[in-house]
Amino acid sequence: MKQIPCPHCGNRAQAEFVYERSADSVVPLDAEPAVAIAALFSRANLRGTEEELWRHAHGCGMWLLIRRDRVSHHIEWVKPIGPEALP
Amino acid sequence: MNAPLINFTFDGRALTAKPGQTLAAALLDQGIRLVGRSFKYHRPRGILSAGIEEPNALVTVGSGGREEPNTRATDLYVYEGLNARSQNRWPSLSSDVGGVLSLVSKALPAGFYYKTFFGPPKLWLFYEQFIRRAAGLGPAPTKADPDHYAQRAAFCDVLVVGSGPAGLIAARDAVRAGKKVFLVEQDAELAPSLLRDPAEIEGKPGRTWAGEIATAVRTSGGRVLTRTSASGLWDDQFVCLSEKLIEPGQIPANGFSQRYWHVRAGEVVLATGAIERPLTFANNDLPGVMLSQAVRTYVTRFGVLPGKRVVVATTNDDGYLTARALMAAGAEVVVLDSRPAPAGHSSGVEVHNLAAPVMARGGKRGVKALVATVDGAERSFACDLVAMSGGFTPVVHLHMQAGGKLDWDQAAQAFVPGETRQNVRTVGLAAEPQPAETVGAAGNPKAAFVDFQNDVTVSDLDLAWREGYRSVEHLKRYTTLGMATDQGKTGNMAALDRIARREGITIPEAGLTTFRPPFTPVSMGALAGLATGEHAQPTRHPALYDLHAARNPIWLNAGYWKRPRAYPQGAETLAQAGLREARTVRTAVGMCDVSTLAKFEVQGPDAVQFLERVCQTTVGKLALGRGRYTFMAREDGLVFDDGTVWRLGDQRYLLTSSTGGASRMATWLSYVRGHLCADLKVSVTCVQEHYAAIAVAGPKSAQVMAALTRSEAPRHMSVVESTIAGAPVLLMAASFSGERAFEVHFDASQAEAVWQAIEAEVLATGGTLYGIEAMELLRIEKGHLVVGPDIDGRLTAEELGLGRMVNKAGGWIGQSCLSRPDFADKQRKQLIGLEAIDGKAIPEGSMLVRFVGAEAEGHVTASGLRVLEGGSIALAHLKGGQARHGEEIYAHSPTRRQTVKVRVTSPHFYDPAGERYRD
């Protein structure tokens, strides 16, 4: 089982985390219909490295942005998101 | 010194074993060679190996819930009272009726199942009954396992798998470097290879040397785990260990039979050694044809001589160690070496070079002779034991599980660990196997076995090849090669060799199938650990649980929650109790625990902006102390939950939503809050379990509330703060039943006092407690929706009949996707009501059809009845349903064989104008 470095808690087992969605499926609140529909239903779904939203569900509960290689599972980086990550 | 013998039985026969012997060693010691019948052809089988790779000698041990089939006799230490039975034979092992199959093995060639599946289905049905009886391993136990399986998590710096000399040196070096070490050995003894081949290491007897290292590991804070198999190696050096605390079938002293470890290691050192390969010749599966190192193990470690006239057939130097051990034990030995002279000539044994076995002769009592080609000519060697060595296959399973690649070692004719993705390295014979030759298959290919456990012969491989199977992955699935419980540990390389030869390519070009966990079989109980029975999943008790329990309800498992379904009186059934409770609510008053509702406090200057994004209804128009029904859509515009929203303060709101969707809603709100509008000044707090809640519903509910709070009850959809039994409460006038009703929310710690006060007043007013059953009847009749069946995340607000409540100003999540052209289709499913024309109950989940046999146009989501008048009604999703009121169709359930004629109606069967909400 992989370890994911949570920016709030440190290295934790993947079982504590929940994959929520790929970052390109986020629909901004003011998105035009065409943009929203494309984000939800026709994503690139690349073989390779993409950004994803995860949640440390069984840990601190925080949302995270993770850049991950979907073939090797290698994690390039993990960033906190949400009000806690605002500058 | 004579240690006492251990008593055990095999197929009912009383036998004894010496301490430390495996079942296989004890059987060989007693002269028993026939141990089982093969999977498909029922051929007599003996013991091939001395380790976990054993494909043949599988037995069932233990009894009752402790019965364990397919236990390897070579991986089972005899204990007092062991009761072992051979498998796949009838009526007995030596006179097995299915044995005739071995004469007609044409009946089950490779791909038999596939070909039969693709034939007419009736043909399969005919074969199936025959195959189920004839083929197979031990039957699965039918009783519950009475033992416990412990689970444990641990961390270490270095985890060493295998305690041979290479593993021990790695462990010692790590201890010297100050590391915390786990040393794992699947055998009962450390360094089992030193028991087979005693040696002096660093000036000490090998076993003493091994013991000193184990002590050093323990005293430096590490662990030494014997009888423990590293079954899986996952990402970031996460290793699963399955530790046997007792032998299979044995009764544990402390209740625990196994311990399953999850270990996170900084580094993993694989010192897993290599598994010897059989040679492929006709009848190479006869009892008495064994692996060379296994023979040596029985002779040297277990003090058993499995034969007196022995032919050692080898392709490498290791066979000579076996020859010498056998001679030292008094056996007569001939060596057949596949290599040209001078290989083996300094060994002091009779050696024939350029010699390879062609066929073994013998029967169920074992091998009698070995026919071999010696320098081109055929010769027969009389013998009662064949010790064969076709080279060594490194145990690379864990390396491969960890994402490692393999390299080809030409001298050893073996795949060895290559590049790795993790902090994993392989040492010892697993990395550098002994040199050996590859000898191709010889003799009748129909009797030359490659995969002993699944009965795959050379002829099966040839057939698959002729039929066009070239990739090893396809070949594996077609012939079932390597798919038995031993995962082809002994047979894969011989098969690859055969295919490579037919194809005219090299073995590395033929490739290898992927090894997957577990390395050796793991008990299901070990994976489950203590999470069985009532502990299989968490149980959530609402704050009022004890109060319900004292009133003996029929419970409903709603998700993880335990909720009262009804409170039956006397001999009432669930249906009778539910209907009585519902009628009392319609005519007087009832109370119900609604504590499990999801509840969120939303506070801050931007609370309204936040809520108007989440909710599809308006929120900003709510005056202080007022609330409203609301519902929420996903980004795709489909409604996924509903609830109520209340304005408790200037900038403070309480949002409730469904019980079942509670954790999903908590996640959704945190996503919207944290990701879509991180700039808003708002805080969202889940208060689901902070508040307990009781619904009081019925025409007399306002009177009950007035008595309890000594003030006039709030009007419908208003909220006031009050006190009941001295506890502060939020009193919300909201209804889910169609009657004038209230929800009383209060601090969960006050559960008992508030419940008892309300209960006393409700009962004094002629009321009742009611559970989920009555709540369902009431809400279905009123046409209120439930998240799950009615609001299933596939309909829009319009389609659910909620269109008029949608916030016309927009701004809510899901709005942009509602412009998808698909949503303009009026033939999408819509929520409707159904009324049974002949009064029969409408089966829940049944499909809606114009006539039986027609295409389904919808389904029944909730089925109920008119609480006071009787008559079956239901809620349903129906294509274009809102325009079909009055139409007569059928609710048809083929699985329940029920068909009910129904009329499409509005979903509001009771008080559609809402007059009963007024005081």
Side-chain angles (χ1 to χ4, degrees):
Chain A
M1 189 191 310
K2 272 204 94 56
Q3 283 189 317
I4 297 179
C6 173
H8 307 287
C9 312
N11 261 343
R12 294 300 174 96
Q14 179 205 319
E16 293 184 13
F17 297 81
V18 174
Y19 167 88
E20 290 287 352
R21 53 169 76 198
S22 64
D24 61 356
S25 71
V26 172
V27 182
L29 285 170
D30 53 1
E32 290 298 316
V35 174
I37 290 166
L40 289 176
F41 303 113
S42 47
R43 294 188 297 279
N45 194 21
L46 295 174
R47 178 186 161 89
T49 306
E50 286 208 86
E51 289 173 21
E52 298 168 337
L53 291 184
W54 286 65
R55 197 162 51 88
H56 195 183
H58 307 290
C60 60
M62 294 299 168
W63 288 76
L64 308 170
L65 187 64
I66 295 185
R67 188 168 169 81
R68 181 177 75 101
D69 187 319
R70 289 170 173 182
V71 178
S72 70
H73 305 311
H74 174 72
I75 291 174
E76 274 180 31
W77 45 253
V78 181
K79 290 178 185 169
I81 47 176
E84 294 76 10
L86 290 177
Chain B
M1 182 193 78
N2 278 332
L5 295 176
I6 303 166
N7 299 296
F8 72 101
T9 61
F10 177 67
D11 279 343
R13 203 172 138 194
L15 300 165
T16 58
K18 299 188 186 98
Q21 280 187 336
T22 59
L23 176 61
L27 292 174
L28 287 171
D29 206 0
Q30 310 271 339
I32 295 173
R33 295 185 148 199
L34 176 61
V35 178
R37 289 280 174 171
S38 76
F39 179 67
K40 247 169 39 178
Y41 305 137
H42 288 242
R43 286 173 67 97
R45 291 282 169 84
I47 292 155
L48 178 73
S49 74
I52 51 91
E53 67 271 33
E54 178 61 36
N56 285 340
L58 304 183
V59 295
T60 298
V61 298
S63 56
R66 291 192 179 90
E67 189 172 84
E68 197 163 317
N70 310 331
T71 304
R72 297 171 297 273
T74 53
D75 185 29
L76 169 67
Y77 293 88
V78 179
Y79 52 88
E80 186 67 31
L82 165 67
N83 171 356
R85 281 96 69 200
S86 57
Q87 301 181 162
N88 202 23
R89 71 335 187 230
W90 187 86
S92 76
L93 185 55
S94 63
S95 59
D96 173 59
V97 170
V100 293
L101 275 178
S102 61
L103 306 176
V104 290
S105 61
K106 265 190 223 163
L108 297 163
F112 168 79
Y113 294 90
Y114 290 94
K115 286 167 187 162
T116 314
F117 276 130
F118 280 106
K122 276 191 180 148
L123 191 63
W124 168 247
L125 293 176
F126 168 74
Y127 278 125
E128 190 191 13
Q129 29 176 319
F130 157 75
I131 292 164
R132 288 222 185 273
R133 238 175 299 143
L137 298 172
T142 52
K143 300 208 173 65
D145 189 338
D147 297 334
H148 296 297
Y149 294 80
Q151 286 189 342
R152 210 162 155 174
F155 297 88
C156 66
D157 299 316
V158 180
L159 185 138
V160 181
V161 182
S163 71
L168 287 166
I169 289 169
R172 184 190 60 189
D173 291 350
V175 169
R176 282 185 184 164
K179 304 282 174 64
K180 179 179 169 184
V181 175
F182 270 47
L183 178 62
V184 176
E185 172 56 56
Q186 65 197 5
D187 203 281
E189 303 281 346
L190 280 179
S193 61
L194 293 175
L195 288 166
R196 181 188 68 216
D197 298 318
E200 204 162 88
I201 301 178
E202 295 172 351
K204 294 171 190 161
R207 303 274 302 150
T208 311
W209 174 80
E212 286 174 10
I213 293 175
T215 305
V217 167
R218 286 197 193 93
T219 52
S220 62
R223 278 180 188 276
V224 177
L225 300 169
T226 53
R227 212 68 185 104
T228 301
S229 168
S231 53
L233 174 48
W234 316 81
D235 285 330
D236 291 338
Q237 300 90 243
F238 186 74
V239 190
C240 292
L241 308 176
S242 131
E243 181 186 9
K244 285 193 177 77
L245 302 173
I246 51 160
E247 291 302 309
Q250 201 172 6
I251 299 170
N254 60 0
F256 284 92
S257 58
Q258 291 187 29
R259 187 180 289 127
Y260 196 67
W261 292 79
H262 298 123
V263 183
R264 178 78 67 181
E267 184 190 18
V268 175
V269 178
L270 300 174
T272 42
I275 288 172
E276 198 164 32
R277 297 173 202 157
L279 292 168
T280 315
F281 54 91
N283 302 329
N284 61 345
D285 63 330
L286 275 179
V289 178
M290 298 174 68
L291 292 171
S292 159
Q293 283 196 343
V295 169
R296 203 152 88 235
T297 301
Y298 290 115
V299 171
T300 313
R301 174 175 175 181
F302 294 115
V304 177
L305 188 59
K308 295 192 172 65
R309 293 185 76 184
V310 190
V311 177
V312 176
T314 185
T315 64
N316 56 70
D317 289 340
D318 194 79
Y320 292 91
L321 298 178
T322 305
R324 250 178 260 140
L326 283 162
M327 288 199 300
E332 211 177 289
V333 182
V334 178
V335 176
L336 306 182
D337 193 324
S338 68
R339 300 167 299 174
H345 278 272
S346 58
S347 61
V349 193
E350 181 189 340
V351 179
H352 298 274
N353 287 98
L354 295 169
V358 175
M359 175 177 65
R361 291 186 203 280
K364 65 189 180 195
R365 281 179 198 84
V367 62
K368 288 178 183 145
L370 184 71
V371 179
T373 53
V374 179
D375 212 357
E378 247 181 44
R379 274 188 62 178
S380 181
F381 297 86
C383 62
D384 59 1
L385 177 68
V386 174
M388 58 182 169
S389 178
F392 298 89
T393 303
V395 177
V396 296
H397 299 64
L398 293 173
H399 167 81
M400 218 172 173
Q401 285 178 21
K405 298 210 166 78
L406 298 179
D407 293 333
W408 177 250
D409 181 332
Q410 182 64 23
Q413 293 286 296
F415 288 105
V416 292
E419 192 186 314
T420 166
R421 247 181 18 207
Q422 299 186 32
N423 201 5
V424 172
R425 69 190 163 97
T426 307
V427 298
L429 291 173
E432 293 162 13
Q434 306 180 45
E437 269 198 348
T438 300
V439 176
N444 177 6
K446 282 186 183 147
F449 284 81
V450 174
D451 181 327
F452 292 72
Q453 200 178 27
N454 263 354
D455 268 355
V456 180
T457 63
V458 170
S459 149
D460 290 325
L461 298 175
D462 291 351
L463 176 66
W465 186 83
R466 280 201 306 278
E467 291 183 354
Y469 291 87
R470 294 296 185 270
S471 145
V472 288
E473 294 284 355
H474 293 161
L475 189 93
K476 163 184 161 179
R477 284 156 182 82
Y478 192 61
T479 61
T480 71
L481 171 83
M483 291 170 73
T485 61
D486 69 340
Q487 293 186 34
K489 289 189 178 70
T490 51
N492 276 350
M493 289 309 293
L496 287 182
D497 174 57
R498 184 68 178 184
I499 290 309
R501 280 171 202 260
R502 300 232 46 164
E503 190 73 12
I505 55 174
T506 61
I507 292 178
E509 283 171 325
L512 188 64
T513 55
T514 309
F515 293 121
R516 295 191 173 84
F519 172 61
T520 47
V522 175
S523 298
M524 300 294 278
L527 297 177
L530 294 175
T532 60
E534 63 172 324
H535 302 296
Q537 59 177 33
T539 304
R540 295 182 80 178
H541 287 181
L544 300 164
Y545 177 83
D546 292 340
L547 292 153
H548 297 308
R551 286 150 184 83
N552 259 330
I554 295 172
W555 292 102
L556 176 74
N557 293 329
Y560 295 147
W561 291 105
K562 282 249 180 254
R563 301 185 69 183
R565 194 164 179 189
Y567 303 84
Q569 292 179 353
E572 270 182 341
T573 63
L574 171 67
Q576 289 165 340
L579 190 57
R580 171 184 52 75
E581 290 169 7
R583 283 184 172 156
T584 311
V585 172
R586 285 270 182 265
T587 53
V589 64
M591 65 184 283
C592 177
D593 182 1
V594 292
S595 301
T596 58
L597 278 176
K599 309 172 203 79
F600 302 92
E601 273 211 25
V602 181
Q603 300 184 63
D606 295 333
V608 169
Q609 283 94 314
F610 176 75
L611 286 167
E612 289 207 330
R613 285 171 188 173
V614 170
C615 300
Q616 253 185 301
T617 63
T618 59
V619 176
K621 289 177 185 162
L622 281 179
L624 198 62
R626 294 285 288 165
R628 65 158 302 150
Y629 172 71
T630 190
F631 42 91
M632 305 83 171
R634 291 188 306 247
E635 290 148 311
D636 60 8
L638 300 170
V639 178
F640 74 98
D641 212 328
D642 72 345
T644 55
V645 58
W646 304 86
R647 188 168 181 188
L648 303 180
D650 208 25
Q651 300 179 351
R652 179 172 166 235
Y653 292 80
L654 184 73
L655 178 70
T656 73
S657 57
S658 70
T659 296
S663 65
R664 177 181 58 192
M665 182 60 76
T667 303
W668 175 246
L669 294 179
S670 77
Y671 171 72
V672 176
R673 166 78 191 95
H675 207 72
L676 297 185
C677 40
D679 54 325
L680 290 186
K681 292 191 179 73
V682 61
S683 90
V684 182
T685 311
C686 176
V687 291
Q688 183 182 22
E689 287 177 273
H690 174 76
Y691 289 116
I694 296 169
V696 179
K700 292 182 180 168
S701 63
Q703 169 194 337
V704 167
M705 292 329 298
L708 282 165
T709 60
R710 294 188 188 83
S711 59
E712 200 180 323
R715 67 190 174 97
H716 189 56
M717 296 318 283
S718 290
V719 53
V720 296
E721 288 178 18
S722 185
T723 56
I724 292 178
V729 300
L730 275 177
L731 190 54
M732 302 167 179
S735 173
F736 193 53
S737 57
E739 304 298 334
R740 180 88 158 97
F742 302 86
E743 275 176 24
V744 186
H745 291 247
F746 49 95
D747 192 297
S749 64
Q750 306 297 313
E752 191 162 348
V754 176
W755 170 278
Q756 278 168 349
I758 297 179
E759 185 184 37
E761 194 60 38
V762 163
L763 296 183
T765 320
T768 181
L769 309 180
Y770 69 99
I772 305 292
E773 194 71 13
M775 183 197 273
E776 278 287 293
L777 292 174
L778 295 163
R779 71 94 188 167
I780 292 168
E781 188 178 20
K782 176 67 182 172
H784 281 315
L785 307 182
V786 156
V787 172
D790 309 312
I791 298 180
D792 64 356
R794 293 190 284 190
L795 304 188
T796 63
E798 195 73 43
E799 290 157 352
L800 286 165
L802 306 171
R804 279 182 306 144
M805 281 185 258
V806 169
N807 183 356
K808 305 290 181 296
W812 32 269
I813 293 167
Q815 188 190 16
S816 38
C817 272
L818 281 179
S819 62
R820 283 171 70 199
D822 288 9
F823 286 138
D825 180 3
K826 294 292 171 212
Q827 287 310 303
R828 278 176 51 85
K829 285 180 186 170
Q830 292 161 351
L831 186 100
I832 46 124
L834 296 174
E835 205 168 31
I837 288 169
D838 57 7
K840 277 198 279 188
I842 304 171
E844 215 159 71
S846 58
M847 54 187 183
L848 298 176
V849 292
R850 283 176 203 262
F851 54 90
V852 173
E855 192 191 341
E857 294 182 74
H859 68 278
V860 174
T861 58
S863 169
L865 41 80
R866 291 183 193 275
V867 170
L868 295 179
E869 301 94 330
S872 291
I873 52 172
L875 301 177
H877 293 172
L878 178 66
K879 281 186 180 173
Q882 284 166 356
R884 292 170 69 175
H885 289 188
E887 195 176 316
E888 290 181 5
I889 55 174
Y890 293 90
H892 175 58
S893 170
T895 51
R896 273 175 274 183
R897 298 174 196 274
Q898 287 172 17
T899 305
V900 179
K901 196 172 185 188
V902 292
R903 184 179 298 113
V904 179
T905 66
S906 145
H908 306 292
F909 301 94
Y910 183 75
D911 185 29
E915 283 165 10
R916 297 182 70 84
Y917 295 150
R918 298 181 196 124
D919 281 319

